[in-house]
Every structure is written in C-alpha cells, then in structure tokens.
C-alpha cells in the first residue's frame, strides 16, 4: 500500500476537483486519465462557454432540480455548494457572470479558463498526472482496494476515487468504465440511459427549418391525449427533429412516452398570446401586408424558417394573397401557431446525450463522504453516480460538490 497516496481515476470535472482538494488536504495524489488531455467534456460544456453552476440561491429548490435522488447531495452541497463553487473559481481569478435562467458562466475565457484554473489547482498541490493511461481493473483484498491495473502499469494507493463519468458523449472518454469497477467492488449499478438528449421525430419538416432557434416557446408532451409535462424556454429545430434546452430537459419523459407509442409533442410558438390576442395580432399584421402573399404577412410574427411549415399545417398555399384569407383560414393559422405538432420517435442515444441517467446506486455510497459502503477506501464522484440534473449548470455543480467531498474524505482516510 502506498502511504498517503490518493489515486483519482478520471480527469473530468469531478476528478479534477477531487484530485485538487485531496492534495490541498495534504495527500499525495495521482490523477489517472485515459485520454491525452484533461477535461475534454468540460471544454465542450455550455458550447465551450461552460455553464458552471446555477445562481439559484435556495438550497431546497436547487436540490429539488435533481428529483427525489437529489437529497443525497445535501451533505456535499452543505460542505461545498454553489456559493462555495463560485467563490472557489473567483478566488482563483475566474470572474463569473449570471445570465438568463440564473445560469452562471465565466465572465471571460469560457470553459478553457475553468479548466486552466483547475489545472492550476492540481499544480499547486503537486498532483502527479498520468495521461493516456487507461484503468483496466480494480484489485480488492479483504474489503480494501489495493491497486488499479492500468494499461502498462499499476497505481497503488491508500484511497481511490472513481470519477470516470457516465457513458454519454463517449468520444470525450466517458465510456462507462467506472460502472465495471463499482460492480467489482460489489455495487449495484442502475442501468445507464441517455439523458438531456436530442429527440428524433417522425415528421421531416424540422429538417426544412434546421438551425432555427425557437425562443420563448412552450413545448408540451402528450400521452394518449393527456398532458404529461411541459417546459417554457428555448429549443432548436434540427435535421433529425428537435434539440435545445427544453427539448433535452424533457427527453427522458419523451423517450418513455414514445416507447408506449402514444406520444405527441406540441409547440406553442406564442405562449404569451391567447387565441384571441393572437387572432387580433395576425389581423393587424395582415392589414400592414394586405397586398402581399401570406408568407410576408407572417414575417413579423414567426421566424422565416417556420413560415412555410405553419402555412402547410394550416393548409394555406404560400402564394395566396393576404387579402384573400377568411376567418376560417385565420383560425387554422392561429391553431397551427399555438400547437405545432410533432411525433417523437426516440432519442439520438448516448453518442449525443449530454449526461447519463443511472449509475452507481446511491444507497450504497455514504453521502457524507462519498465512500463506498462495501470497500472502505473507495470513493465515487461525479456522473458515475446515479445522479443527473436538468440543463442550467446543475450537472457540473454536482460534479464540483461530490468531487470536493470525495477528495477531502479520501485524503483524510489516506492520512489516517
Ligand atoms: C456537449 C455537452 C455540454 C455540456 N454542457 C454542460 C454545461 O454547460 N453545464 C453543466 O452543468 N453540464 C454540462 N454538461 C454535462 C457535464 O459536462 C458533465 O455532467 C460533467 O462534465 C461530468 O463530469 P465527470 O467528471 O463526472 O465525468 P467526465 O467529464 O465524463 O470525465 C470522466 C473522465 O474519466 C476518464 N476515464 C474514463 N474511463 C477511464 C478509465 N478506465 N481510465 C482512466 N480514465 C478514464 C475519461 O477519459 C474522462 O476524462 C455538458 C455535457 C456535454 C456532453
């Protein structure tokens, strides 16, 4: 056994934080990363801008965003929560700013700045970094983790932290290896599923409007004619269907409903306007564009890419003059704008999912330390755990919090 050494597997958000904190707490630390670079997924986060947490101040509300499993996070958030996270980065020169929907980003420099800050934290603690070193197997003897077999070498330690991420976006290195190590230690793994994932639709029309961002719309999921859930915000039309924040946030519920074969999605393009107000608004626009084709009459109301789609849904030929439309035509137009329908046909899968639902069963991990309940010197942090949240900085926050706590607890154990 290597005295005082903490071995951290995985150089993502959770592993970087865990390694830095373990070193700060006095342990000798080895960080093992399969890929050639650290933080590959972190660099992609928030489209390269890194939505590193949420500015939601109420802890109950924050934790509720992870669903019923969120209560596992109380001790980690109490020790190192969103406020401490912002202070951590700001104290190390990463100023933050709060944007729409309480999303917190670095004010400058994006994800690269966040990664550099964490690499600085590792340097400060003299963390030894092994790159291009894949962990293959975990050796456990008499209830204690003894060493990890790496490709070409071994890593011995007094404590071990598994922070290998989930299975989503596998090109960043997250290929679900940690589940195997957890199972070896006797843990149950809740079957991983893609979450925050783009949605495929049967209809082809999103292709004709691909790249169009729909802002301030409401997306509603129906199953067997009953409303299941809805979200207000931003979404994106793509060549295969829909993506963007609200579509991804609803993706698991959409996938479940689609499996039953009775799912329908509707987009209300103008949720702030009632049918009556929208009818009046279209009437005013049509007066303004009275001598034009109907497509022109809608250009102040709708994104250009969507006008042909809405007209087709309302069964109105594009070339018809605005002044030839009657009350029935306008009723159909209003209906199409208020409930543009799509049939979901499953998700794009792990390859494009932002996060993985499922993972190491939380009942078998001590939330006060992140320690395995079966192997006394084994810890878990980040997405490898059965935790996932919505878009908006929630997924990185749970990596920072569990990583910090795992690092600190493993260091304490390693130092005896
Ligand atoms: C495109 C995209 C955008 C996102 N944007 C945001 C955002 O803005 N805000 C937010 O909160 N969340 C965002 N997320 C989610 C967030 O990035 C992840 O939840 C988070 O990065 C997970 O961190 P992690 O450290 O647990 O795992 P990962 O980042 O997946 O890191 C795991 C690391 O372990 C390494 N590894 C795996 N197996 C082995 C092995 N056998 N041996 C050695 N090393 C191994 C991998 O190579 C990898 O580097 C985004 C995700 C994606 C895909």
């Amino acid at each position: 056994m290597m005295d005082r050494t903490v071995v951290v597997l995985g150089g993502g958000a959770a592993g970087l934080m865990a390694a830095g904190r373990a070193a700060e707490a006095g342990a000798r630390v080895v960080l093992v990363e399969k890929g050639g670079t650290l933080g590959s997924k972190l660099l992609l986060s928030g489209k390269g801008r890194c939505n590193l947490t949420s500015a939601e101040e109420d802890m109950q509300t924050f934790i509720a965003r992870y669903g019923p499993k969120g209560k596992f996070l109380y001790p980690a958030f109490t020790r190192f929560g969103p406020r401490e996270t912002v202070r951590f980065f700001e104290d190390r020169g990463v100023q933050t700013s709060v944007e729409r929907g309480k999303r917190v980003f670095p004010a400058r420099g994006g994800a690269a700045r966040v990664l550099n800050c964490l690499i600085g934290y590792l340097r400060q603690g003299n963390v030894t970094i092994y790159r291009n070193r894949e962990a293959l197997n975990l050796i456990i003897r008499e209830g204690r983790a003894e060493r990890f077999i790496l490709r070409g070498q071994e890593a011995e330690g007094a404590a071990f932290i598994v922070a290998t991420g989930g299975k989503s976006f596998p090109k960043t290195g997250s290929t679900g290896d940690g589940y195997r190590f957890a199972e070896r230690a006797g843990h149950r793994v809740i079957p991983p599923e893609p979450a925050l994932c783009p949605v495929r639709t049967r209809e082809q029309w999103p292709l004709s409007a691909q790249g169009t961002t729909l802002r301030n719309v409401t997306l509603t999921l129906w199953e067997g004619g009953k409303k299941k859930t809805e979200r207000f915000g931003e979404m994106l039309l793509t060549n295969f269907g829909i993506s963007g924040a609200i579509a991804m946030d609803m993706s698991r519920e959409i996938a479940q409903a689609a499996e039953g074969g009775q799912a329908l999605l509707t987009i209300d393009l103008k949720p702030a306007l009632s049918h009556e107000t929208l009818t009046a608004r279209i009437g005013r626009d049509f007066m303004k564009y009275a001598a034009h084709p109907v497509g022109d009459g809608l250009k102040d109301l709708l994104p250009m890419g969507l006008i042909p789609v809405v007209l087709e849904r309302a069964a109105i030929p594009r070339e018809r003059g605005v002044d030839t439309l009657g009350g029935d035509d306008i009723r159909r137009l209003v209906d199409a704008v208020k409930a543009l329908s799509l049939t979901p046909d499953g998700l794009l899968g792990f390859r494009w999912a932002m996060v993985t639902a499922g993972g190491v069963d939380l009942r078998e991990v001590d939330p006060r330390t992140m320690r395995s309940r079966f192997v006394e010197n084994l810890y878990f942090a980040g997405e490898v755990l059965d935790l996932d949240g919505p878009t908006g900085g929630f997924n990185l926050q749970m990596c920072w919090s569990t990583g910090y706590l795992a690092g600190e607890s493993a260091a304490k154990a390693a130092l005896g």
Side-chain angles (χ1 to χ4, degrees), residues 354-376:
M354 274 171 71
V355 296
T356 305
V360 176
D361 193 334
L362 302 177
R363 288 168 296 186
E364 298 170 354
V365 177
D366 182 348
R368 293 162 306 173
T369 54
M370 298 295 136
R371 188 169 76 166
S372 158
R373 293 199 192 274
F374 305 138
V375 174
E376 62 180 38

Side-chain angles (χ1 to χ4, degrees), residues 206-217:
L207 170 67
S208 64
Q210 71 170 303
T212 305
T213 299
L214 306 177
R215 293 200 173 83
N216 302 324
V217 299

Side-chain angles (χ1 to χ4, degrees), residues 1-7 22 25-30 157-159 410-411 413-416:
M1 184 178 83
M2 291 274 282
D3 281 348
R4 300 179 51 225
T5 301
V6 173
V7 176
R28 204 180 299 150
V29 180
V30 176
L415 296 171

Side-chain angles (χ1 to χ4, degrees), residues 10 12-14 33-34 45-46 51 135 165 173-174 177 354 383 393 395-396 399:
E33 167 55 46
K34 168 163 79 168
S45 66
N51 176 194
S174 331
D177 301 7
M354 274 171 71
E383 210 179 304
N395 289 293
L396 281 173
C399 293

Side-chain angles (χ1 to χ4, degrees), residues 17 25 28 30 136 160 183 189 208 252 273 276 307 384:
M17 183 58 90
R28 204 180 299 150
V30 176
L136 301 173
F160 297 83
E183 279 170 345
V189 171
S208 64
R252 258 164 88 206
L273 306 182
E276 293 71 33
I307 294 174
V384 70

